[in-house]
Amino acid sequence: KCATAILVQYSQKGKERYWYIMHRGDPGRTPNIAKYRPDAENNFFLEQYVDPPLESESHTLIAMTTSRNRPAAIIKSIPKKKNPYYAWRKSTIDRERMVPLLIEYYDKQGELKKNVTFTSEQRFSIWYWDTARFENLENGSITKIKTTDIRINIGLHERDFQPGALSRLTGR
């Protein structure tokens, strides 16, 4: 039953479709990945939590601190629209590397319901999170995601980063 979703395909005319790989390696495509996801991931939908648009929340700096021996900022984010997934979240961000260390999700009563912890790695002079551990504290389920391959600027030439590159692309 368990599979890994590897690609989400969106269409203006139809519903989204997911390409997946079963644990045995068999590929497939489905409009409903929930029946193939591990239960832990079904309890913590990534699209509901990861990278909400910046303007969809209000943000307040709570404190400057240290976390895991790193200088960190703690930020409280409150959704501007009614959000059934969380009432607010608290993010601990590495101030030098600008990567998340921990994100906690709270309900309206202020009770911690879910959290995500991150480890980070540097490649190509860029810091990014390489492992994320998603924990649903309501039912104890855990999902871990590991980045196994990262590629930067594939197929881009150095000339694309010169001052005149934009005018070449737009014709202006």
Side-chain angles (χ1 to χ4, degrees):
K1 178 184 172 220
C2 290
T4 302
I6 60 169
L7 177 67
V8 179
Q9 179 181 9
Y10 296 102
S11 170
Q12 292 177 345
K13 296 180 182 178
K15 293 184 176 182
E16 58 191 35
R17 295 174 193 253
Y18 298 86
W19 288 94
Y20 62 86
I21 298 177
M22 298 297 291
H23 69 279
R24 297 179 311 275
D26 302 327
R29 191 168 69 162
T30 181
N32 181 6
I33 195 66
K35 64 183 176 181
Y36 296 104
R37 283 180 173 153
D39 289 338
E41 189 174 335
N42 280 332
N43 290 322
F44 204 129
F45 295 111
L46 299 181
E47 59 269 16
Q48 296 168 354
Y49 294 93
V50 178
D51 294 331
L54 184 62
E55 65 276 1
S56 70
E57 297 177 310
S58 62
H59 308 280
T60 305
L61 177 64
I62 296 175
M64 299 293 239
T65 187
T66 302
S67 179
R68 296 188 213 158
N69 296 320
R70 304 282 314 150
I74 298 176
I75 300 168
K76 181 177 183 177
S77 302
I78 301 172
K80 291 182 180 178
K81 294 183 178 178
K82 189 174 183 180
N83 187 327
Y85 312 118
Y86 58 95
W88 60 280
R89 65 187 176 119
K90 182 170 72 172
S91 303
T92 304
I93 308 296
D94 185 312
R95 291 191 336 235
E96 292 175 349
R97 297 175 179 165
M98 298 308 291
V99 292
L101 301 171
L102 171 68
I103 302 175
E104 299 173 319
Y105 297 90
Y106 295 84
D107 65 10
K108 292 178 184 175
Q109 290 74 36
E111 188 176 335
L112 178 62
K113 294 295 184 178
K114 300 179 182 187
N115 66 44
V116 187
T117 54
F118 300 90
T119 60
S120 56
E121 186 175 322
Q122 184 181 35
R123 282 197 204 164
F124 309 107
S125 300
I126 297 171
W127 283 96
Y128 67 95
W129 64 266
D130 67 341
T131 303
R133 181 181 182 272
F134 298 82
E135 184 175 8
N136 184 330
L137 301 171
E138 294 175 295
N139 63 18
S141 64
I142 295 173
T143 298
K144 293 180 183 177
I145 297 176
K146 172 104 175 113
T147 303
T148 58
D149 188 17
I150 184 169
R151 298 172 192 207
I152 305 294
N153 299 333
I154 301 297
L156 299 176
H157 301 284
E158 188 65 34
R159 70 175 185 271
D160 295 331
F161 297 93
Q162 301 304 316
L166 184 58
S167 63
R168 283 194 304 274
L169 295 172
T170 62
R172 294 181 187 162

PDB file of all heavy atoms in Angstrom, residues 65-96:
ATOM      1  N   THR A  65      17.865  34.296  20.072  1.00  0.00           N
ATOM      2  CA  THR A  65      18.336  33.313  21.030  1.00  0.00           C
ATOM      3  C   THR A  65      19.422  32.451  20.406  1.00  0.00           C
ATOM      4  O   THR A  65      19.955  32.775  19.351  1.00  0.00           O
ATOM      5  CB  THR A  65      17.146  32.438  21.515  1.00  0.00           C
ATOM      6  OG1 THR A  65      17.587  31.598  22.563  1.00  0.00           O
ATOM      7  CG2 THR A  65      16.546  31.632  20.391  1.00  0.00           C
ATOM      8  N   THR A  66      19.729  31.362  21.063  1.00  0.00           N
ATOM      9  CA  THR A  66      20.652  30.355  20.544  1.00  0.00           C
ATOM     10  C   THR A  66      19.918  29.023  20.548  1.00  0.00           C
ATOM     11  O   THR A  66      19.226  28.685  21.501  1.00  0.00           O
ATOM     12  CB  THR A  66      21.912  30.256  21.434  1.00  0.00           C
ATOM     13  OG1 THR A  66      22.534  31.543  21.475  1.00  0.00           O
ATOM     14  CG2 THR A  66      22.899  29.247  20.889  1.00  0.00           C
ATOM     15  N   SER A  67      20.069  28.277  19.445  1.00  0.00           N
ATOM     16  CA  SER A  67      19.454  26.961  19.345  1.00  0.00           C
ATOM     17  C   SER A  67      20.455  26.034  18.667  1.00  0.00           C
ATOM     18  O   SER A  67      20.993  26.373  17.610  1.00  0.00           O
ATOM     19  CB  SER A  67      18.166  27.043  18.527  1.00  0.00           C
ATOM     20  OG  SER A  67      17.577  25.771  18.404  1.00  0.00           O
ATOM     21  N   ARG A  68      20.726  24.891  19.305  1.00  0.00           N
ATOM     22  CA  ARG A  68      21.729  23.941  18.795  1.00  0.00           C
ATOM     23  C   ARG A  68      23.083  24.622  18.570  1.00  0.00           C
ATOM     24  O   ARG A  68      23.738  24.426  17.561  1.00  0.00           O
ATOM     25  CB  ARG A  68      21.273  23.297  17.493  1.00  0.00           C
ATOM     26  CG  ARG A  68      20.046  22.445  17.612  1.00  0.00           C
ATOM     27  CD  ARG A  68      19.815  21.707  16.312  1.00  0.00           C
ATOM     28  NE  ARG A  68      18.392  21.556  16.093  1.00  0.00           N
ATOM     29  CZ  ARG A  68      17.829  21.349  14.934  1.00  0.00           C
ATOM     30  NH1 ARG A  68      18.553  21.257  13.849  1.00  0.00           N
ATOM     31  NH2 ARG A  68      16.540  21.219  14.821  1.00  0.00           N
ATOM     32  N   ASN A  69      23.439  25.492  19.486  1.00  0.00           N
ATOM     33  CA  ASN A  69      24.699  26.247  19.433  1.00  0.00           C
ATOM     34  C   ASN A  69      24.792  27.152  18.205  1.00  0.00           C
ATOM     35  O   ASN A  69      25.885  27.454  17.733  1.00  0.00           O
ATOM     36  CB  ASN A  69      25.917  25.305  19.488  1.00  0.00           C
ATOM     37  CG  ASN A  69      25.992  24.562  20.794  1.00  0.00           C
ATOM     38  OD1 ASN A  69      25.718  25.126  21.856  1.00  0.00           O
ATOM     39  ND2 ASN A  69      26.344  23.291  20.726  1.00  0.00           N
ATOM     40  N   ARG A  70      23.659  27.590  17.697  1.00  0.00           N
ATOM     41  CA  ARG A  70      23.601  28.478  16.541  1.00  0.00           C
ATOM     42  C   ARG A  70      22.799  29.718  16.926  1.00  0.00           C
ATOM     43  O   ARG A  70      21.819  29.628  17.673  1.00  0.00           O
ATOM     44  CB  ARG A  70      22.900  27.795  15.353  1.00  0.00           C
ATOM     45  CG  ARG A  70      23.469  26.481  14.895  1.00  0.00           C
ATOM     46  CD  ARG A  70      24.715  26.592  14.069  1.00  0.00           C
ATOM     47  NE  ARG A  70      24.565  27.608  13.055  1.00  0.00           N
ATOM     48  CZ  ARG A  70      25.584  28.320  12.582  1.00  0.00           C
ATOM     49  NH1 ARG A  70      26.800  28.131  13.015  1.00  0.00           N
ATOM     50  NH2 ARG A  70      25.392  29.228  11.658  1.00  0.00           N
ATOM     51  N   PRO A  71      23.179  30.901  16.415  1.00  0.00           N
ATOM     52  CA  PRO A  71      22.345  32.079  16.659  1.00  0.00           C
ATOM     53  C   PRO A  71      21.013  31.905  15.939  1.00  0.00           C
ATOM     54  O   PRO A  71      20.983  31.514  14.766  1.00  0.00           O
ATOM     55  CB  PRO A  71      23.161  33.228  16.053  1.00  0.00           C
ATOM     56  CG  PRO A  71      24.080  32.577  15.071  1.00  0.00           C
ATOM     57  CD  PRO A  71      24.329  31.183  15.572  1.00  0.00           C
ATOM     58  N   ALA A  72      19.919  32.145  16.645  1.00  0.00           N
ATOM     59  CA  ALA A  72      18.600  31.871  16.071  1.00  0.00           C
ATOM     60  C   ALA A  72      17.613  32.980  16.386  1.00  0.00           C
ATOM     61  O   ALA A  72      17.782  33.739  17.338  1.00  0.00           O
ATOM     62  CB  ALA A  72      18.075  30.539  16.607  1.00  0.00           C
ATOM     63  N   ALA A  73      16.584  33.040  15.553  1.00  0.00           N
ATOM     64  CA  ALA A  73      15.450  33.938  15.773  1.00  0.00           C
ATOM     65  C   ALA A  73      14.208  33.069  15.939  1.00  0.00           C
ATOM     66  O   ALA A  73      14.047  32.070  15.240  1.00  0.00           O
ATOM     67  CB  ALA A  73      15.283  34.881  14.595  1.00  0.00           C
ATOM     68  N   ILE A  74      13.349  33.463  16.863  1.00  0.00           N
ATOM     69  CA  ILE A  74      12.080  32.766  17.047  1.00  0.00           C
ATOM     70  C   ILE A  74      10.982  33.692  16.536  1.00  0.00           C
ATOM     71  O   ILE A  74      10.881  34.844  16.971  1.00  0.00           O
ATOM     72  CB  ILE A  74      11.849  32.389  18.517  1.00  0.00           C
ATOM     73  CG1 ILE A  74      12.959  31.429  18.974  1.00  0.00           C
ATOM     74  CG2 ILE A  74      10.471  31.762  18.697  1.00  0.00           C
ATOM     75  CD1 ILE A  74      12.897  31.051  20.425  1.00  0.00           C
ATOM     76  N   ILE A  75      10.196  33.183  15.601  1.00  0.00           N
ATOM     77  CA  ILE A  75       9.178  33.986  14.933  1.00  0.00           C
ATOM     78  C   ILE A  75       7.815  33.321  15.105  1.00  0.00           C
ATOM     79  O   ILE A  75       7.676  32.116  14.882  1.00  0.00           O
ATOM     80  CB  ILE A  75       9.512  34.136  13.432  1.00  0.00           C
ATOM     81  CG1 ILE A  75      10.867  34.831  13.287  1.00  0.00           C
ATOM     82  CG2 ILE A  75       8.412  34.883  12.688  1.00  0.00           C
ATOM     83  CD1 ILE A  75      11.449  34.783  11.912  1.00  0.00           C
ATOM     84  N   LYS A  76       6.822  34.119  15.480  1.00  0.00           N
ATOM     85  CA  LYS A  76       5.446  33.633  15.585  1.00  0.00           C
ATOM     86  C   LYS A  76       4.702  34.061  14.329  1.00  0.00           C
ATOM     87  O   LYS A  76       4.735  35.238  13.954  1.00  0.00           O
ATOM     88  CB  LYS A  76       4.763  34.209  16.830  1.00  0.00           C
ATOM     89  CG  LYS A  76       3.345  33.725  17.013  1.00  0.00           C
ATOM     90  CD  LYS A  76       2.731  34.265  18.302  1.00  0.00           C
ATOM     91  CE  LYS A  76       1.332  33.735  18.523  1.00  0.00           C
ATOM     92  NZ  LYS A  76       0.770  34.208  19.804  1.00  0.00           N
ATOM     93  N   SER A  77       4.028  33.115  13.687  1.00  0.00           N
ATOM     94  CA  SER A  77       3.277  33.384  12.468  1.00  0.00           C
ATOM     95  C   SER A  77       1.824  32.982  12.688  1.00  0.00           C
ATOM     96  O   SER A  77       1.541  31.871  13.142  1.00  0.00           O
ATOM     97  CB  SER A  77       3.854  32.587  11.291  1.00  0.00           C
ATOM     98  OG  SER A  77       5.215  32.903  11.104  1.00  0.00           O
ATOM     99  N   ILE A  78       0.928  33.914  12.340  1.00  0.00           N
ATOM    100  CA  ILE A  78      -0.509  33.675  12.504  1.00  0.00           C
ATOM    101  C   ILE A  78      -1.161  33.792  11.129  1.00  0.00           C
ATOM    102  O   ILE A  78      -0.997  34.817  10.457  1.00  0.00           O
ATOM    103  CB  ILE A  78      -1.138  34.691  13.477  1.00  0.00           C
ATOM    104  CG1 ILE A  78      -0.460  34.597  14.851  1.00  0.00           C
ATOM    105  CG2 ILE A  78      -2.641  34.483  13.581  1.00  0.00           C
ATOM    106  CD1 ILE A  78      -0.873  35.677  15.817  1.00  0.00           C
ATOM    107  N   PRO A  79      -1.907  32.760  10.699  1.00  0.00           N
ATOM    108  CA  PRO A  79      -2.593  32.852   9.411  1.00  0.00           C
ATOM    109  C   PRO A  79      -3.583  34.011   9.397  1.00  0.00           C
ATOM    110  O   PRO A  79      -4.271  34.257  10.396  1.00  0.00           O
ATOM    111  CB  PRO A  79      -3.330  31.514   9.287  1.00  0.00           C
ATOM    112  CG  PRO A  79      -2.646  30.599  10.240  1.00  0.00           C
ATOM    113  CD  PRO A  79      -2.129  31.480  11.351  1.00  0.00           C
ATOM    114  N   LYS A  80      -3.638  34.742   8.288  1.00  0.00           N
ATOM    115  CA  LYS A  80      -4.576  35.862   8.173  1.00  0.00           C
ATOM    116  C   LYS A  80      -5.991  35.379   7.901  1.00  0.00           C
ATOM    117  O   LYS A  80      -6.953  35.996   8.323  1.00  0.00           O
ATOM    118  CB  LYS A  80      -4.123  36.815   7.061  1.00  0.00           C
ATOM    119  CG  LYS A  80      -2.860  37.568   7.418  1.00  0.00           C
ATOM    120  CD  LYS A  80      -2.460  38.523   6.322  1.00  0.00           C
ATOM    121  CE  LYS A  80      -1.196  39.275   6.698  1.00  0.00           C
ATOM    122  NZ  LYS A  80      -0.765  40.168   5.617  1.00  0.00           N
ATOM    123  N   LYS A  81      -6.121  34.274   7.191  1.00  0.00           N
ATOM    124  CA  LYS A  81      -7.435  33.711   6.916  1.00  0.00           C
ATOM    125  C   LYS A  81      -7.674  32.546   7.861  1.00  0.00           C
ATOM    126  O   LYS A  81      -6.745  31.959   8.390  1.00  0.00           O
ATOM    127  CB  LYS A  81      -7.520  33.229   5.469  1.00  0.00           C
ATOM    128  CG  LYS A  81      -7.447  34.347   4.466  1.00  0.00           C
ATOM    129  CD  LYS A  81      -7.621  33.822   3.062  1.00  0.00           C
ATOM    130  CE  LYS A  81      -7.580  34.975   2.075  1.00  0.00           C
ATOM    131  NZ  LYS A  81      -7.702  34.511   0.698  1.00  0.00           N
ATOM    132  N   LYS A  82      -8.928  32.220   8.042  1.00  0.00           N
ATOM    133  CA  LYS A  82      -9.271  31.073   8.882  1.00  0.00           C
ATOM    134  C   LYS A  82      -8.570  29.843   8.330  1.00  0.00           C
ATOM    135  O   LYS A  82      -8.659  29.539   7.148  1.00  0.00           O
ATOM    136  CB  LYS A  82     -10.780  30.872   8.902  1.00  0.00           C
ATOM    137  CG  LYS A  82     -11.229  29.869   9.907  1.00  0.00           C
ATOM    138  CD  LYS A  82     -12.742  29.824   9.966  1.00  0.00           C
ATOM    139  CE  LYS A  82     -13.180  28.858  11.030  1.00  0.00           C
ATOM    140  NZ  LYS A  82     -14.641  28.797  11.112  1.00  0.00           N
ATOM    141  N   ASN A  83      -7.829  29.148   9.174  1.00  0.00           N
ATOM    142  CA  ASN A  83      -7.023  28.020   8.741  1.00  0.00           C
ATOM    143  C   ASN A  83      -7.348  26.813   9.622  1.00  0.00           C
ATOM    144  O   ASN A  83      -7.095  26.858  10.819  1.00  0.00           O
ATOM    145  CB  ASN A  83      -5.539  28.388   8.857  1.00  0.00           C
ATOM    146  CG  ASN A  83      -4.634  27.340   8.273  1.00  0.00           C
ATOM    147  OD1 ASN A  83      -4.916  26.148   8.322  1.00  0.00           O
ATOM    148  ND2 ASN A  83      -3.533  27.776   7.713  1.00  0.00           N
ATOM    149  N   PRO A  84      -7.868  25.748   9.066  1.00  0.00           N
ATOM    150  CA  PRO A  84      -8.219  24.592   9.895  1.00  0.00           C
ATOM    151  C   PRO A  84      -7.026  23.764  10.361  1.00  0.00           C
ATOM    152  O   PRO A  84      -7.166  22.912  11.209  1.00  0.00           O
ATOM    153  CB  PRO A  84      -9.104  23.750   8.960  1.00  0.00           C
ATOM    154  CG  PRO A  84      -8.629  24.111   7.600  1.00  0.00           C
ATOM    155  CD  PRO A  84      -8.198  25.553   7.674  1.00  0.00           C
ATOM    156  N   TYR A  85      -5.847  24.026   9.842  1.00  0.00           N
ATOM    157  CA  TYR A  85      -4.690  23.177  10.129  1.00  0.00           C
ATOM    158  C   TYR A  85      -3.937  23.608  11.383  1.00  0.00           C
ATOM    159  O   TYR A  85      -3.428  22.777  12.103  1.00  0.00           O
ATOM    160  CB  TYR A  85      -3.741  23.148   8.934  1.00  0.00           C
ATOM    161  CG  TYR A  85      -4.479  22.891   7.653  1.00  0.00           C
ATOM    162  CD1 TYR A  85      -4.487  23.831   6.643  1.00  0.00           C
ATOM    163  CD2 TYR A  85      -5.208  21.717   7.465  1.00  0.00           C
ATOM    164  CE1 TYR A  85      -5.190  23.599   5.473  1.00  0.00           C
ATOM    165  CE2 TYR A  85      -5.906  21.487   6.306  1.00  0.00           C
ATOM    166  CZ  TYR A  85      -5.887  22.429   5.309  1.00  0.00           C
ATOM    167  OH  TYR A  85      -6.586  22.200   4.160  1.00  0.00           O
ATOM    168  N   TYR A  86      -3.840  24.908  11.615  1.00  0.00           N
ATOM    169  CA  TYR A  86      -3.178  25.396  12.821  1.00  0.00           C
ATOM    170  C   TYR A  86      -3.632  26.824  13.082  1.00  0.00           C
ATOM    171  O   TYR A  86      -3.981  27.558  12.173  1.00  0.00           O
ATOM    172  CB  TYR A  86      -1.656  25.323  12.715  1.00  0.00           C
ATOM    173  CG  TYR A  86      -1.053  26.094  11.556  1.00  0.00           C
ATOM    174  CD1 TYR A  86      -0.590  27.393  11.740  1.00  0.00           C
ATOM    175  CD2 TYR A  86      -0.921  25.527  10.301  1.00  0.00           C
ATOM    176  CE1 TYR A  86      -0.026  28.112  10.699  1.00  0.00           C
ATOM    177  CE2 TYR A  86      -0.350  26.223   9.255  1.00  0.00           C
ATOM    178  CZ  TYR A  86       0.083  27.517   9.461  1.00  0.00           C
ATOM    179  OH  TYR A  86       0.642  28.222   8.417  1.00  0.00           O
ATOM    180  N   ALA A  87      -3.631  27.204  14.350  1.00  0.00           N
ATOM    181  CA  ALA A  87      -4.019  28.562  14.731  1.00  0.00           C
ATOM    182  C   ALA A  87      -2.825  29.510  14.613  1.00  0.00           C
ATOM    183  O   ALA A  87      -2.977  30.669  14.239  1.00  0.00           O
ATOM    184  CB  ALA A  87      -4.578  28.581  16.140  1.00  0.00           C
ATOM    185  N   TRP A  88      -1.650  29.005  14.959  1.00  0.00           N
ATOM    186  CA  TRP A  88      -0.409  29.769  14.819  1.00  0.00           C
ATOM    187  C   TRP A  88       0.764  28.809  14.842  1.00  0.00           C
ATOM    188  O   TRP A  88       0.622  27.653  15.221  1.00  0.00           O
ATOM    189  CB  TRP A  88      -0.291  30.853  15.886  1.00  0.00           C
ATOM    190  CG  TRP A  88      -0.291  30.382  17.305  1.00  0.00           C
ATOM    191  CD1 TRP A  88      -1.375  30.027  18.057  1.00  0.00           C
ATOM    192  CD2 TRP A  88       0.850  30.216  18.157  1.00  0.00           C
ATOM    193  NE1 TRP A  88      -0.971  29.651  19.318  1.00  0.00           N
ATOM    194  CE2 TRP A  88       0.382  29.750  19.409  1.00  0.00           C
ATOM    195  CE3 TRP A  88       2.216  30.401  17.984  1.00  0.00           C
ATOM    196  CZ2 TRP A  88       1.231  29.490  20.474  1.00  0.00           C
ATOM    197  CZ3 TRP A  88       3.061  30.144  19.050  1.00  0.00           C
ATOM    198  CH2 TRP A  88       2.567  29.690  20.276  1.00  0.00           C
ATOM    199  N   ARG A  89       1.921  29.294  14.406  1.00  0.00           N
ATOM    200  CA  ARG A  89       3.128  28.472  14.434  1.00  0.00           C
ATOM    201  C   ARG A  89       4.306  29.285  14.946  1.00  0.00           C
ATOM    202  O   ARG A  89       4.324  30.508  14.826  1.00  0.00           O
ATOM    203  CB  ARG A  89       3.433  27.878  13.063  1.00  0.00           C
ATOM    204  CG  ARG A  89       3.766  28.872  12.002  1.00  0.00           C
ATOM    205  CD  ARG A  89       3.878  28.170  10.649  1.00  0.00           C
ATOM    206  NE  ARG A  89       4.104  29.151   9.603  1.00  0.00           N
ATOM    207  CZ  ARG A  89       5.174  29.192   8.826  1.00  0.00           C
ATOM    208  NH1 ARG A  89       6.110  28.273   8.952  1.00  0.00           N
ATOM    209  NH2 ARG A  89       5.305  30.115   7.909  1.00  0.00           N
ATOM    210  N   LYS A  90       5.244  28.577  15.551  1.00  0.00           N
ATOM    211  CA  LYS A  90       6.458  29.198  16.066  1.00  0.00           C
ATOM    212  C   LYS A  90       7.644  28.576  15.334  1.00  0.00           C
ATOM    213  O   LYS A  90       7.833  27.363  15.361  1.00  0.00           O
ATOM    214  CB  LYS A  90       6.578  28.970  17.577  1.00  0.00           C
ATOM    215  CG  LYS A  90       7.793  29.636  18.191  1.00  0.00           C
ATOM    216  CD  LYS A  90       7.773  29.597  19.708  1.00  0.00           C
ATOM    217  CE  LYS A  90       8.029  28.223  20.228  1.00  0.00           C
ATOM    218  NZ  LYS A  90       8.201  28.146  21.681  1.00  0.00           N
ATOM    219  N   SER A  91       8.427  29.415  14.656  1.00  0.00           N
ATOM    220  CA  SER A  91       9.562  28.942  13.869  1.00  0.00           C
ATOM    221  C   SER A  91      10.863  29.387  14.507  1.00  0.00           C
ATOM    222  O   SER A  91      11.006  30.552  14.897  1.00  0.00           O
ATOM    223  CB  SER A  91       9.500  29.515  12.445  1.00  0.00           C
ATOM    224  OG  SER A  91       8.291  29.179  11.815  1.00  0.00           O
ATOM    225  N   THR A  92      11.794  28.477  14.620  1.00  0.00           N
ATOM    226  CA  THR A  92      13.143  28.795  15.070  1.00  0.00           C
ATOM    227  C   THR A  92      14.033  28.729  13.837  1.00  0.00           C
ATOM    228  O   THR A  92      14.161  27.674  13.210  1.00  0.00           O
ATOM    229  CB  THR A  92      13.630  27.803  16.139  1.00  0.00           C
ATOM    230  OG1 THR A  92      12.678  27.796  17.217  1.00  0.00           O
ATOM    231  CG2 THR A  92      15.003  28.179  16.656  1.00  0.00           C
ATOM    232  N   ILE A  93      14.630  29.873  13.477  1.00  0.00           N
ATOM    233  CA  ILE A  93      15.396  30.010  12.242  1.00  0.00           C
ATOM    234  C   ILE A  93      16.854  30.306  12.568  1.00  0.00           C
ATOM    235  O   ILE A  93      17.147  31.169  13.394  1.00  0.00           O
ATOM    236  CB  ILE A  93      14.833  31.172  11.380  1.00  0.00           C
ATOM    237  CG1 ILE A  93      13.324  31.039  11.172  1.00  0.00           C
ATOM    238  CG2 ILE A  93      15.578  31.287  10.053  1.00  0.00           C
ATOM    239  CD1 ILE A  93      12.886  29.836  10.397  1.00  0.00           C
ATOM    240  N   ASP A  94      17.761  29.583  11.934  1.00  0.00           N
ATOM    241  CA  ASP A  94      19.197  29.861  12.058  1.00  0.00           C
ATOM    242  C   ASP A  94      19.461  31.217  11.410  1.00  0.00           C
ATOM    243  O   ASP A  94      19.232  31.396  10.213  1.00  0.00           O
ATOM    244  CB  ASP A  94      19.997  28.750  11.361  1.00  0.00           C
ATOM    245  CG  ASP A  94      21.496  28.901  11.544  1.00  0.00           C
ATOM    246  OD1 ASP A  94      22.033  30.012  11.340  1.00  0.00           O
ATOM    247  OD2 ASP A  94      22.138  27.885  11.869  1.00  0.00           O
ATOM    248  N   ARG A  95      19.936  32.195  12.188  1.00  0.00           N
ATOM    249  CA  ARG A  95      20.102  33.561  11.685  1.00  0.00           C
ATOM    250  C   ARG A  95      21.228  33.703  10.681  1.00  0.00           C
ATOM    251  O   ARG A  95      21.174  34.581   9.827  1.00  0.00           O
ATOM    252  CB  ARG A  95      20.334  34.524  12.850  1.00  0.00           C
ATOM    253  CG  ARG A  95      19.110  34.713  13.705  1.00  0.00           C
ATOM    254  CD  ARG A  95      19.212  35.854  14.701  1.00  0.00           C
ATOM    255  NE  ARG A  95      20.542  36.240  15.087  1.00  0.00           N
ATOM    256  CZ  ARG A  95      20.978  36.307  16.336  1.00  0.00           C
ATOM    257  NH1 ARG A  95      20.182  35.980  17.327  1.00  0.00           N
ATOM    258  NH2 ARG A  95      22.200  36.693  16.597  1.00  0.00           N
ATOM    259  N   GLU A  96      22.253  32.897  10.756  1.00  0.00           N
ATOM    260  CA  GLU A  96      23.368  33.007   9.812  1.00  0.00           C
ATOM    261  C   GLU A  96      23.124  32.208   8.537  1.00  0.00           C
ATOM    262  O   GLU A  96      23.407  32.672   7.442  1.00  0.00           O
ATOM    263  CB  GLU A  96      24.667  32.554  10.478  1.00  0.00           C
ATOM    264  CG  GLU A  96      25.133  33.499  11.573  1.00  0.00           C
ATOM    265  CD  GLU A  96      26.357  32.973  12.298  1.00  0.00           C
ATOM    266  OE1 GLU A  96      26.740  31.799  12.109  1.00  0.00           O
ATOM    267  OE2 GLU A  96      26.931  33.753  13.090  1.00  0.00           O
TER     268      GLU A  96
END
